[in-house]
Structures are given as structure tokens and as C-alpha cells.
Amino acid sequence: MRTLILTALVTAFAGPAFAADKCNVPTDQWQPREALQKKLESEGWKVRSIKTENGCYEAKALDANGKKLEAVFNPKTLESVGADSDDG
């Protein structure tokens, strides 16, 4: 049981650390949020918000079918470094 709990804790904290490693970029090299919004909208996303989280951009949006999306992007390259969907 202890191993299971420890594994769950390590996994919970590894996700954000992994994204932060992917977004280890000096702020003077970041592209503006508007560039990410334009990129996502060109892919059919309806962007609701973009914020900075652990050195990355975190976007919340709806896809073409109205499904909620949450994804994390490198602020320099605007490449996705992680995603999460929410059916709620």
C-alpha cells in the first residue's frame, strides 16, 4: 500500500515538473500570447483563456465539437508540451 501511495505522489508531482522542464525559456524569448491564440484558432480552437503556468503557456479552449480542452505550450516555440481534456 505504501508503494502505491508513493507512486501516486511521485506521478502527481512529475507531470508539472516535466512541463516546466519543457518550458525552461528566458522570458525575453517568449512569443506573445496573441501568437498562440492565433495559432490555436487557425486549428479550430475557440480560445477561452491563456495564462502562464510553471513557465509555460496554459490554454483553455473548446474544440469544434464544443469539447473542453486544456493544453500546455512552450512559450518560445508554441509547441504543445502536454494536454488534458475535460468532458465536464
Side-chain angles (χ1 to χ4, degrees), residues 4 8 13 15 20 30-31 33-35 37-38 40 42 46 52 59 64 70 73-76 80-81 83 85 87:
L4 181 61
F13 289 107
W30 288 26
Q31 294 192 49
R33 291 179 190 191
E34 293 80 12
Q37 182 167 348
K38 184 178 266 189
L40 297 176
S42 74
K46 294 179 183 161
T52 303
E70 186 174 317
F73 297 88
N74 179 297
K76 179 179 179 180
S80 176
V81 295
S85 65
D87 293 326

Side-chain angles (χ1 to χ4, degrees), residues 18-19 45 58-59 68-73 80-86:
F18 178 74
W45 291 37
E58 179 183 82
K68 292 180 183 181
L69 302 171
E70 186 174 317
V72 180
F73 297 88
S80 176
V81 295
D84 191 18
S85 65
D86 178 30

Side-chain angles (χ1 to χ4, degrees), residues 1-22:
M1 186 67 171
R2 276 186 154 164
T3 303
L4 181 61
I5 292 170
L6 182 58
T7 301
L9 288 172
V10 169
T11 303
F13 289 107
F18 178 74
D21 288 345
K22 292 285 190 174

